[in-house]
Amino acid sequence: MEIQRQFYLDELIRKQGNGFVKIITGLRRCGKSYLLRTIFKNHLLANGIAPEEIVEMAFDERDNKKFCDPDVFYEFAKEKLAQQPDTIFLLDEIQLLGDFESVLNGLLGKNAEIYATGSNAKFLSKDIITEFRGRGDEIHMTPLTFAEYFSIFNDDKISRFQEYMIYGGLPLVALASSPEDKIAILNALYTETYLRDIVGRNKIRKVAELENLLDILASTIGSLVNPEKLRKTFHSVKNSKITVDTINKYITFLEDAYLLEAAQRYDIKGKAYIATPQKYYYSDLGLRNARLNFRQLEETHSMENIIYNELRHRKFNVDIGQVTVNEKNPAGTYSRKQLEVDFVANKGSKRYYIQSAYMIPDAEKREQEIRSLLKIDDSFKKIVITSHAPAPLYDDNGILTMSIYDFLLNPDSLEQ
């Protein structure tokens, strides 16, 4: 059974011949190598590119270890270009190539067409434009979206969504035949790939501290996280002297490995960001659940995490909204309260305010969910996403309610 990552293939096709280094970044095992060396390579071959015009190099393979030396690879690549000026380079796990920035810049100067994958944001996405002197072009890849996941099976969307919430969207896991196999793969990936990679690359000595932090962050998706409160928790519960700086450094390592992503709070009325606390969402829920031994399978927070990931996949910048209001209490005095909007999604001139509500059983619950939306006085669209809305519907306040399935399976769902 094959998985077609059409969204990303289209991006690669669109960027062909633009004179940039095209780098596919993302979580390990999310399908970057398969996209580059199978899907995209097959596209090239099917569209007239001869096999001898393509050079594949996977820097994490033992046979290619010598090519991790920048001088060795650079001479090899120059020789290929001398023989075949139209050579297309497909380079896998580029961060393992020493001094890769100058090597690729040198090849760009010889008009090479370069595509690469990388699994570490520290070396790639955060500095990609600077490192490649304005000639770096990132394609950030995520695990399977629910639409991609569902397309593999195309049967019952409700049961598949429940499965997706538990096991996530890593392709290897999605194709596993049983729950036991999925769990085994996720556990192995977490310990043998992600954790080992983070510890080794960043030379972490107190691994237990990092693992404890992972447990806390995994159990608090959808909740505000304050590094100072985390420090106090470590001190009181673990008798640890870990500092706020170390906690922030560990979180940066996790973000660099694409395991999780931070969402900042944004004061909607004041039009300003609030530095702390923040929320953290896992790039893949299966990995999050594996970290917790599948003990905390909260549907509410899981759906919120999935919505966040889908918005990021659709190239939105996503913040946590805050609306400050003055409300009269029973004693007749006024007090200031902060109401939360789950997501403020921005892309260009577009903005959407989105609430995630797994269940809305009655009018009281609905009033609670839309309370913050009603306090926003601009004209951008306001949306509530729930698990059981029969069809997208606007209410008298102009608020659109839609089901999670309509949202995830229709790429234009926010435009309804």
Side-chain angles (χ1 to χ4, degrees):
M1 188 183 298
E2 292 187 358
I3 299 174
Q4 298 300 320
R5 308 301 300 270
Q6 192 64 45
F7 178 88
Y8 299 105
L9 175 60
D10 290 343
E11 279 206 70
L12 289 174
I13 293 170
R14 190 168 59 251
K15 296 173 186 292
Q16 277 185 262
N18 66 1
F20 286 32
V21 179
K22 277 74 71 173
I23 297 189
I24 307 164
T25 63
L27 183 71
R28 282 188 181 275
R29 303 295 185 266
C30 74
K32 302 185 301 297
S33 300
Y34 185 75
L35 170 68
L36 184 65
R37 299 172 61 194
T38 300
I39 297 176
F40 186 58
K41 180 184 175 183
N42 288 343
H43 165 80
L44 293 174
L45 294 173
N47 284 271
I49 303 298
E52 58 269 21
E53 294 179 81
I54 300 174
V55 170
E56 283 186 79
M57 181 71 66
F59 292 101
D60 61 345
E61 292 181 1
R62 183 66 182 84
D63 290 345
N64 296 328
K65 186 174 182 180
K66 67 178 181 180
F67 290 109
C68 292
D69 182 317
D71 295 324
V72 173
F73 177 74
Y74 190 57
E75 290 305 314
F76 163 79
K78 284 198 303 180
E79 185 177 333
K80 288 290 183 182
L81 286 169
Q83 298 169 356
Q84 180 71 55
D86 295 329
T87 296
I88 297 173
F89 292 90
L90 307 181
L91 309 177
D92 203 8
E93 298 296 355
I94 192 65
Q95 78 276 358
L96 299 177
L97 169 63
D99 197 21
F100 71 89
E101 302 94 337
S102 67
V103 171
L104 298 190
N105 274 321
L107 295 178
L108 277 180
K110 301 182 183 302
N111 297 317
E113 181 75 353
I114 304 170
Y115 300 83
T117 76
S119 299
N120 187 317
K122 180 177 181 181
F123 299 125
L124 293 166
S125 68
K126 290 186 177 178
D127 298 310
I128 197 166
I129 302 301
T130 302
E131 298 292 358
F132 293 105
R133 302 170 192 169
R135 297 180 70 187
D137 201 345
E138 182 187 10
I139 299 97
H140 183 68
M141 193 175 192
T142 68
L144 298 173
T145 65
F146 179 65
E148 291 176 313
Y149 184 89
F150 182 65
S151 70
I152 302 172
F153 311 101
N154 201 29
D155 46 19
D156 179 50
K157 62 186 179 183
I158 296 176
S159 62
R160 289 300 177 187
F161 182 69
Q162 295 296 321
E163 186 177 79
Y164 183 73
M165 279 203 294
I166 297 172
Y167 304 114
L170 291 175
L172 187 63
V173 177
L175 296 176
S177 57
S178 70
E180 292 77 15
D181 288 343
K182 294 177 189 292
I183 290 171
I185 292 168
L186 285 165
N187 285 330
L189 284 175
Y190 215 123
T191 56
E192 296 171 18
T193 301
Y194 304 114
L195 191 57
R196 181 181 296 177
D197 182 57
I198 293 166
V199 169
R201 183 188 303 122
N202 299 292
K203 299 179 174 58
I204 297 173
R205 290 180 291 109
K206 296 183 178 181
V207 179
E209 284 186 343
L210 175 66
E211 294 202 63
N212 287 331
L213 179 61
L214 275 167
D215 291 337
I216 293 171
L217 294 175
S219 64
T220 56
I221 58 169
S223 301
L224 292 170
V225 174
N226 185 315
E228 174 59 25
K229 288 185 178 179
L230 289 177
R231 184 197 65 78
K232 291 178 179 178
T233 299
F234 271 93
H235 180 73
S236 61
V237 177
K238 301 292 183 180
N239 196 29
S240 168
K241 295 182 180 179
I242 191 170
T243 65
V244 168
D245 285 344
T246 299
I247 289 172
N248 284 327
K249 184 168 64 174
Y250 285 170
I251 289 175
T252 298
F253 295 158
L254 299 175
E255 290 181 283
D256 284 341
Y258 299 108
L259 264 181
L260 49 82
E261 191 168 294
Q264 283 188 274
R265 284 195 302 158
Y266 179 73
D267 183 342
I268 294 171
K269 291 188 175 182
K271 295 181 172 56
Y273 281 99
I274 303 166
T276 188
Q278 296 177 317
K279 288 189 178 184
Y280 292 90
Y281 294 100
Y282 259 73
S283 300
D284 182 77
L285 272 178
L287 291 172
R288 178 262 181 188
N289 293 333
R291 182 66 213 175
L292 297 174
N293 294 318
F294 299 90
R295 289 192 301 263
Q296 293 179 235
L297 302 176
E298 314 99 326
E299 293 169 321
T300 299
H301 289 152
S302 295
M303 191 177 88
E304 184 178 326
N305 201 136
I306 289 170
I307 292 171
Y308 177 84
N309 288 346
E310 179 68 23
L311 290 169
R312 295 292 291 132
H313 169 75
R314 296 184 189 184
K315 309 301 182 186
F316 283 95
N317 294 314
V318 184
D319 302 313
I320 310 303
Q322 177 180 296
V323 183
T324 302
V325 297
N326 289 314
E327 291 193 336
K328 196 174 185 179
N329 59 33
T333 58
Y334 284 87
S335 60
R336 291 167 63 84
K337 291 186 177 180
Q338 279 76 44
L339 307 179
E340 186 174 285
V341 177
D342 288 331
F343 302 119
V344 181
N346 294 287
K347 182 164 57 175
S349 61
K350 295 181 179 180
R351 172 179 288 185
Y352 301 93
Y353 300 112
I354 299 172
Q355 290 289 69
S356 171
Y358 186 76
M359 295 292 290
I360 304 181
D362 51 40
E364 183 179 350
K365 175 63 174 176
R366 178 170 179 80
E367 183 178 342
Q368 177 186 329
E369 291 295 340
I370 68 172
R371 185 182 174 202
S372 60
L373 299 179
L374 294 174
K375 298 294 183 179
I376 303 171
D377 55 9
D378 61 39
S379 59
F380 292 112
K381 185 179 287 188
K382 303 167 181 66
I383 302 170
V384 176
I385 300 175
T386 182
S387 65
H388 63 285
L393 180 69
Y394 284 92
D395 67 11
D396 293 341
N397 297 302
I399 297 173
L400 173 64
T401 299
M402 69 173 68
S403 76
I404 187 66
Y405 311 105
D406 287 321
F407 170 64
L408 295 174
L409 295 176
N410 177 2
D412 299 315
S413 56
L414 298 182
E415 303 296 332
Q416 297 186 73

